Amino acid sequence: MGEPTNWGTFAPPALGRILDANLDRAREGLRIVEEWCRFGLESSALTNECKELRQALASWHTAELREARDTPGDPGTELTHPQERERTNIEQVLIANLCRTQEALRVLEEYGKLYQPKMGDALKQMRYRAYALESQLLAKGRQQKLQQAPLYLVTSPNDDLLGIVEKALQGGLTLVQYRDKDADDITRIERASAIRQLCHRYRALFIINDRVDLALAVDADGVHLGQQDVPISFARKLLGASRIIGRSTTNPQEMKQAIDEGADYIGVGPVYETPTKAGKAPAGLEYIRHAAANSPIPWFAIGGIDMNNIHSVFSAGARRVAVVRAIVQAEQPMLATQYFLSQLAWLDTMGQIEGTQSESDRG
Ligand SMILES: Cc1ncc(COP(=O)(O)OP(=O)(O)O)c(N)n1
Ligand SMILES: Cc1ncsc1CCOP(=O)(O)O
Ligand SMILES: [Mg+2]
């Protein structure tokens, strides 16, 4: 970068090799992440950020540093960690490569100071950009999964809750909310952590009902807030931009407010009366029609929905539903999940063929 070098008392070949190797490592890691941003997330903003970071790194990779390379003499080329061979999903690949990039940037920052004073500062800024990239990537991945989830399981206490959730996940479920109104916090944390682990094994999103603190404690993907819970702005401050915040709504005013306040999705209901929320007046299909016509964000019809009435809910315009009893109390939770998912997919296809789509968040 045109500045005088500052080799100091360090052996130049070793310092040069460290910088050369880590400039390569950081760029390779970024390149792997960039491919997913481009082809998986289809995000031009994230793809460009990866590209810009790679180009900024390339500008530090001078001929002098490349000349320091000595691959045959590098004992590190033979070393691989067993975990490198064990990646089973995209998240693991992304996390591993973001970590690799961030580590390399840190090495470049520390050793770069010895090479050129400006290099340390420049690399520090790049490391912060890499952290921001990680948050944005996480947020984008979560939003993408949310958009693609037609079925939402809200849990209720059950002796075999883990088994039921796992069966539903095996049936294709991708969105789970842990809802437990009676347990103490220690029990809630234990159960939520176990369900979270399960969800992440199946690459499903995991949301906590009511409690922002528990969502943070178990590193959930987000929180679901009722009208009596903390304001969305408050939850956002604690959870940051990358986690999902959902809000219950029972009428058009609450829907508008939730959207204005920045909810990522809303619950719309109760559609029908339900013993799961005894005493709560149903909002009915009229409110479903209103959401279908007006909600620009994902919304889930909820309340009393089962295999017998899902067609009516769908006809009113719902394309996503949330259920408790229909899966938790099903004789075969996996089959119940598959049934809902197949019905939702089939009804959606029929809707598209007939041109009856009314949900305003499509497309
Ligand atoms: C998806 C979804 N929609 C609505 C609710 C209900 O939330 P809330 O009104 O806060 O009632 P409780 O679930 O806390 O009893 C929900 N949990 N999930
Ligand atoms: C949590 C909640 N919020 C509105 S209705 C409802 C319960 C839905 O439960 P079920 O699917 O068993 O009717
Ligand atoms: Mg609540």
Side-chain angles (χ1 to χ4, degrees):
M1 296 214 87
E3 292 289 315
T5 56
N6 176 23
W7 294 108
T9 54
F10 287 81
L15 186 57
R17 285 169 68 191
I18 290 171
L19 296 178
D20 171 61
N22 282 281
L23 282 162
D24 274 345
R25 281 179 85 206
R27 277 159 69 202
E28 284 163 13
L30 279 167
R31 183 73 213 205
I32 290 163
V33 173
E34 185 178 321
E35 296 301 301
W36 181 249
C37 293
R38 181 174 168 197
F39 296 108
L41 299 175
E42 296 180 347
S43 162
S44 44
L46 291 179
T47 308
N48 279 338
E49 178 60 359
C50 292
K51 198 170 281 175
E52 277 181 25
L53 278 168
R54 282 194 302 108
Q55 283 165 355
L57 284 165
S59 71
W60 285 101
H61 214 162
T62 57
E64 181 181 37
L65 294 178
R66 288 179 194 284
E67 276 162 22
R69 188 171 307 176
D70 176 18
T71 309
D74 179 357
T77 56
E78 301 292 315
L79 307 176
T80 46
H81 195 279
Q83 277 178 348
E84 284 180 24
R85 298 198 195 96
E86 273 174 23
R87 308 239 155 89
T88 54
N89 62 47
I90 305 252
E91 269 93 354
Q92 284 181 2
V93 171
L94 292 175
I95 287 168
N97 281 285
L98 282 161
C99 285
R100 185 178 173 209
T101 301
Q102 288 156 6
E103 278 172 16
L105 290 174
R106 182 78 208 202
V107 172
L108 288 166
E109 182 185 332
E110 294 301 326
Y111 286 96
K113 290 176 199 163
L114 304 172
Y115 179 53
Q116 282 184 24
K118 275 189 185 168
M119 190 173 185
D121 288 341
L123 269 294
K124 185 186 206 155
Q125 293 312 316
M126 280 188 233
R127 186 161 55 84
Y128 289 140
R129 279 173 70 182
Y131 292 143
L133 176 70
E134 182 174 354
S135 305
Q136 286 160 6
L137 202 71
L138 208 61
K140 185 88 187 164
R142 282 179 175 141
Q143 292 296 338
Q144 193 185 49
K145 279 188 192 167
L146 177 66
Q147 286 283 345
Q148 291 168 353
L151 180 64
Y152 190 174
L153 169 63
V154 179
T155 67
S156 60
N158 187 290
D159 288 345
D160 184 29
L161 188 56
L162 267 189
I164 291 168
V165 173
E166 179 148 28
K167 285 273 176 288
L169 292 166
Q170 285 167 349
L173 182 74
T174 55
L175 180 57
V176 177
Q177 178 189 132
Y178 172 63
R179 176 178 181 270
D180 191 339
K181 307 301 266 190
D182 300 321
D184 58 62
D185 280 357
I186 302 288
T187 310
R188 282 192 179 117
I189 288 180
E190 274 169 19
R191 289 182 186 159
S193 303
I195 301 176
R196 177 206 176 268
Q197 258 189 318
L198 201 53
C199 286
H200 285 196
R201 182 136 46 88
Y202 286 85
R203 305 191 57 221
L205 289 172
F206 176 66
I207 306 288
I208 293 263
N209 185 41
D210 292 342
R211 298 274 299 272
V212 177
D213 56 344
L214 293 190
L216 279 171
V218 303
D219 192 20
D221 294 301
V223 71
H224 184 91
L225 302 172
Q227 289 292 320
Q228 314 303 326
D229 298 319
V230 295
I232 292 173
S233 57
F234 181 91
R236 187 63 78 197
K237 267 193 205 139
L238 296 173
L239 293 175
S242 74
R243 281 184 234 257
I244 292 169
I245 300 179
R247 178 71 117 191
S248 311
T249 68
T250 58
N251 58 52
Q253 292 73 34
E254 288 176 1
M255 180 181 124
K256 184 176 180 315
Q257 191 177 356
I259 294 164
D260 290 348
E261 288 177 1
D264 294 302
Y265 76 86
I266 48 174
V268 171
V271 186
Y272 303 108
E273 256 185 73
T274 166
T276 311
K277 227 162 153 53
K280 179 99 181 158
L285 291 173
E286 196 46 47
Y287 181 40
I288 296 295
R289 282 188 270 276
H290 177 86
N294 294 287
S295 179
I297 61 172
W299 58 277
F300 294 83
I302 184 168
I305 299 172
D306 59 29
M307 294 182 189
N308 299 315
N309 60 25
I310 186 164
H311 291 242
S312 310
V313 179
F314 194 89
S315 296
R319 294 295 178 272
R320 300 181 179 89
V321 299
V323 298
V324 180
R325 288 165 305 142
I327 290 180
V328 175
Q329 292 179 17
E331 272 184 31
Q332 300 199 48
M334 184 162 83
L335 283 185
T337 304
Q338 287 170 335
Y339 178 83
F340 276 116
L341 288 174
S342 63
Q343 289 300 296
L344 286 163
W346 184 74
L347 289 165
D348 200 27
T349 311
M350 294 311 287
Q352 283 177 35
I353 292 168
E354 291 163 15
T356 56
Q357 276 190 298
S358 54
E359 191 181 342
S360 55
D361 67 339
R362 305 244 112 203

